[in-house]
Amino acid sequence: MSHPHPELGRPPGLARGALRVVPLGGLGEIGRNMTVFEHEGRLLVIDCGVLFPEEHQPGVDVILPDFSWIRDRLDKIDGIVLTHGHEDHIGGVPYLLKERGTIPVIGSRLTLGFLAAKLKEHRIKPNEIVVKEGERRKVGPFDLEFLAVNHSIPDSLAVALRTKAGTVLHTGDFKMDQFPLDKRLTDLRGFARLGEEGVDLFMTDSTNADVPGFTTAEKDLGPAIEAVFRTAPGRIIVSSFASHVHRIQQVLDAAKVNNRKVAFVGRSMVRNMAIAGDLGYLNIPKGLIVDLKELERLPDRKVTLVCTGSQGEPMAALSRMANRDHMIRIGDGDTVLMASSLIPGNENAIYGVINGLIRWGANVVHKGNAKVHVSGHASAGELVYCYNLVKPRNVMPVHGEFRHLKANAQLAIDTGVPREHVVIAEDGVVVDLHKGRVKIAGKVEAGYVYVDAMTVGGVTEANLKDRRTLSEEGVVSVVAIVDSHTGKLAEPPDFLARGFNYDDTTFKVLIPVIEDALDKAAREGIGDTRQLEELINRAVGNWTWRHWRRRPVIIPVVIDA
């Protein structure tokens, strides 16, 4: 089994007839999925998503893949293939198209419908190519075939790439639900047919590789959701991903049976459900959906709200309800149904929202106490089934943290794939398929690119460190008026602090510390304002650490008198 190494250098030129695979996101993390394929001097991108920030990344909106490896070859990209419409697979597309807007974007009807609405906000008109399962399309030197897979969003696709170097089968995000709500089965016959033809590289979804057995069918959630609607005494507030059309369909069906009206809350939820309804992926019974204001006139037992915020996102509707910062006021009798997964890294935020909702009197029904969500990803039993069906020559696990990738690699080995034909890569690790074998060829830059308000890539790890320090350790401003002749304080310095429990006497003990620093500077002939500010910064910082065990941001300002 091949593992990446930190010492890997830049990859050499691609061998004649070989295929290069470069994951720029999604390996070693859940999100930011993007893989670049290079063959005969041309490039193909599969997915281009975003990663959502965690608590230690304050002020960041989303995190993009690093496009620097392909930036000087944007004209070589023959297409962006999108496997499905989740943000972690399409959210980065607007930013890539801003660098070259004519790149063809290839995907299913719903996927491109969700993307088009997103691109409209960025004022980008895409070059779209709609495809569906069973279709084959030549894109540059890549012969693509699209296969149906089921996932937690309709119209998901796996992609087979036939090239002169061999055939790659990329599953995208998938599972093998045998009773899908939309009757659209994962095309195992197609997987088997490709296996008979010969799959040289199988790239498989790893998210649930460490979960034994088979993923629960979506239909099995029906009774738990129906029980909530049957027994809730007052309003029902459902939170879900704005793209989880299947789950919203179950909610709409349960609301209709129990004579409730439904309103969508949150811009992305309203937008996506309108798109899904218009395209025929969501069946909305006539008269069921009403305006939020109309719901206010109905008795609570007739009310259902469907909103965003299932991951504890600070600005999403459910989080704002929990913080009493939303027009919808949670209270006794309300039932909140959190119909979503718990994404690694979001645990604290999610439980913070749950606690807030319970505090205001709500009954919160979630994955931890009821069967109201199932994963959209194949568990170990399904992955093993696929390996035995496809019989790939080489395997490269994708989509998951390192533990998921490792577990998936072991499943492949257990089914008979030779250990040396299984490669575990991480973001930026270059994998070449040449003469029927895969090998790690090097590494390219694939770091985080932060989107912060209107800037892309302007925020650095150093900026985030400062933000964390400001929020966790506080800030102390010191204004010192210094006599330019003597180098001493002309008057006591002024202190302003945030993030401290302090009074007028707290900082008096710092005055001798600053005086000592200035005396030392005078003895050494240091009179430059910036140098004096640096000395004060260091002296005050050392003192606050020794006495308070805090490392606040120190902002010294020296004024010549």
Side-chain angles (χ1 to χ4, degrees):
M1 190 189 311
S2 298
H3 288 75
H5 302 284
E7 304 81 20
L8 287 171
R10 297 285 292 185
L14 184 58
R16 186 178 179 86
L19 173 70
R20 177 157 287 174
V21 184
V22 185
L24 295 180
L27 273 65
E29 63 201 353
I30 304 289
R32 211 171 64 114
N33 297 282
M34 180 177 180
T35 306
V36 181
F37 295 84
E38 179 179 359
H39 184 57
E40 296 185 343
R42 305 300 297 180
L43 304 177
L44 182 78
V45 176
I46 290 189
D47 292 327
C48 183
V50 295
L51 178 67
F52 291 102
E54 297 183 26
E55 291 176 348
H56 65 276
Q57 295 158 329
V60 174
D61 297 326
V62 293
I63 305 167
L64 297 175
D66 187 344
F67 302 147
S68 58
W69 183 67
I70 57 172
R71 186 161 283 121
D72 62 349
R73 296 188 294 164
L74 294 172
D75 60 320
K76 305 292 186 187
I77 301 175
D78 288 319
I80 304 169
V81 176
L82 302 177
T83 58
H84 63 283
H86 279 150
E87 282 294 303
D88 62 332
H89 291 256
I90 69 170
V93 174
Y95 300 93
L96 184 53
L97 291 184
K98 282 178 181 178
E99 305 209 15
R100 183 192 150 206
T102 58
I103 304 173
V105 183
I106 304 162
S108 63
R109 200 157 60 106
L110 182 65
T111 300
L112 294 183
F114 283 171
L115 177 67
K118 180 180 296 296
L119 292 175
K120 190 174 181 180
E121 294 180 1
H122 289 264
R123 299 178 182 174
I124 297 172
K125 187 170 178 57
N127 175 13
E128 293 183 345
I129 299 174
V130 178
V131 295
K132 59 185 179 182
E133 59 264 26
E135 187 172 332
R136 282 182 71 164
R137 180 174 289 270
K138 195 85 162 60
V139 179
F142 306 94
D143 179 4
L144 306 181
E145 180 178 353
F146 302 94
L147 299 95
V149 292
N150 51 49
H151 183 40
S152 53
I153 185 173
D155 239 9
S156 298
L157 296 169
V159 187
L161 295 79
R162 292 178 175 88
T163 72
K164 291 178 181 176
T167 297
V168 178
L169 176 56
H170 190 303
T171 66
D173 288 4
F174 87 112
K175 58 180 176 177
M176 289 166 49
D177 192 338
Q178 299 304 299
F179 305 97
L181 298 177
D182 60 2
K183 313 298 183 188
R184 185 174 176 271
L185 290 161
T186 291
D187 187 4
L188 297 180
R189 294 175 67 189
F191 279 30
R193 173 175 48 79
L194 284 163
E196 288 294 326
E197 181 184 316
V199 171
D200 297 282
L201 179 59
F202 196 22
M203 301 174 68
T204 50
D205 178 4
S206 306
T207 313
N208 275 356
D210 58 352
V211 178
F214 282 63
T215 301
T216 305
E218 295 276 350
K219 74 176 182 62
D220 290 349
L221 303 186
I225 293 173
E226 289 162 7
V228 169
F229 276 81
R230 190 172 61 250
T231 60
R235 297 182 300 180
I236 297 175
I237 297 97
V238 180
S239 77
S240 175
F241 292 118
S243 55
H244 205 328
V245 179
H246 293 146
R247 191 76 72 251
I248 304 304
Q249 184 69 67
Q250 289 174 304
V251 168
L252 297 184
D253 293 345
K256 185 176 187 298
V257 168
N258 289 276
N259 298 311
R260 287 177 176 267
K261 297 293 185 182
V262 177
F264 295 124
V265 182
R267 188 177 60 156
S268 59
M269 183 65 74
V270 172
R271 180 191 68 195
N272 283 6
M273 292 309 107
I275 293 168
D278 290 345
L279 295 178
Y281 293 92
L282 186 69
N283 176 29
I284 304 176
K286 189 174 182 180
L288 183 69
I289 305 298
V290 298
D291 186 79
L292 191 56
K293 290 183 179 178
E294 188 176 335
L295 275 192
E296 294 174 357
R297 297 193 290 269
L298 295 175
D300 286 354
R301 68 180 185 281
K302 297 287 186 182
V303 171
T304 301
L305 301 161
V306 180
C307 68
T308 55
S310 59
Q311 295 302 308
E313 307 96 312
M315 298 307 294
L318 196 66
S319 297
R320 292 174 57 202
M321 292 177 201
N323 293 330
R324 275 291 196 263
D325 183 31
H326 198 280
M327 61 180 291
I328 297 166
R329 313 292 280 184
I330 298 294
D332 290 334
D334 288 337
T335 298
V336 177
L337 172 59
M338 299 181 73
S340 63
S341 61
L342 194 154
I343 293 178
N346 293 357
E347 295 91 344
N348 290 342
I350 294 170
Y351 286 118
V353 169
I354 290 173
N355 285 325
L357 295 167
I358 292 174
R359 178 187 176 197
W360 303 121
N363 172 35
V364 182
V365 181
H366 56 91
K367 185 181 179 183
N369 59 21
K371 197 173 183 179
V372 291
H373 177 75
V374 296
S375 174
H377 303 271
S379 296
E382 291 152 272
L383 294 173
V384 166
Y385 193 102
C386 285
Y387 286 130
N388 285 331
L389 200 64
V390 175
K391 291 293 183 187
R393 298 186 178 98
N394 301 275
V395 168
M396 177 178 168
V398 295
H399 198 286
E401 296 177 352
F402 195 82
R403 60 194 170 97
H404 304 125
L405 304 177
K406 180 83 172 181
N408 198 357
Q410 190 58 51
L411 293 177
I413 293 166
D414 290 346
T415 62
V417 180
R419 184 176 292 271
E420 62 273 17
H421 288 220
V422 178
V423 61
I424 296 181
E426 292 179 280
D427 293 345
V429 171
V430 177
V431 176
D432 286 353
L433 174 64
H434 186 44
K435 296 181 179 178
R437 290 287 303 272
V438 290
K439 67 173 183 177
I440 290 175
K443 193 170 185 179
V444 300
E445 187 64 37
Y448 284 180
V449 175
Y450 298 107
V451 178
D452 179 8
M454 299 303 291
T455 67
V456 178
V459 175
T460 64
E461 287 294 341
N463 297 138
L464 293 181
K465 182 180 178 183
D466 286 345
R467 291 178 184 180
R468 288 192 293 270
T469 302
L470 283 167
S471 62
E472 297 166 7
E473 302 285 341
V475 57
V476 176
S477 296
V478 183
V479 180
I481 300 175
V482 178
D483 188 313
S484 58
H485 299 293
T486 64
K488 297 180 180 297
L489 287 170
E491 58 183 73
D494 289 327
F495 297 92
L496 179 64
R498 291 289 182 268
F500 281 85
N501 181 17
Y502 72 99
D503 56 32
D504 292 340
T505 64
T506 302
F507 295 108
K508 282 186 177 180
V509 291
L510 274 173
I511 296 175
V513 174
I514 294 170
E515 288 175 335
D516 288 346
L518 292 174
D519 286 344
K520 182 181 178 183
R523 288 195 303 272
E524 295 180 2
I526 297 173
D528 179 74
T529 298
R530 287 192 177 181
Q531 289 178 298
L532 293 177
E533 288 175 346
E534 181 57 38
L535 286 171
I536 292 173
N537 185 352
R538 194 176 303 122
V540 173
N542 289 339
W543 191 92
T544 54
W545 174 250
R546 285 198 308 271
H547 291 81
W548 293 338
R549 283 294 183 266
R550 300 282 289 274
R551 295 195 185 279
V553 173
I554 312 296
I555 304 176
V557 179
V558 171
I559 301 172
D560 286 335

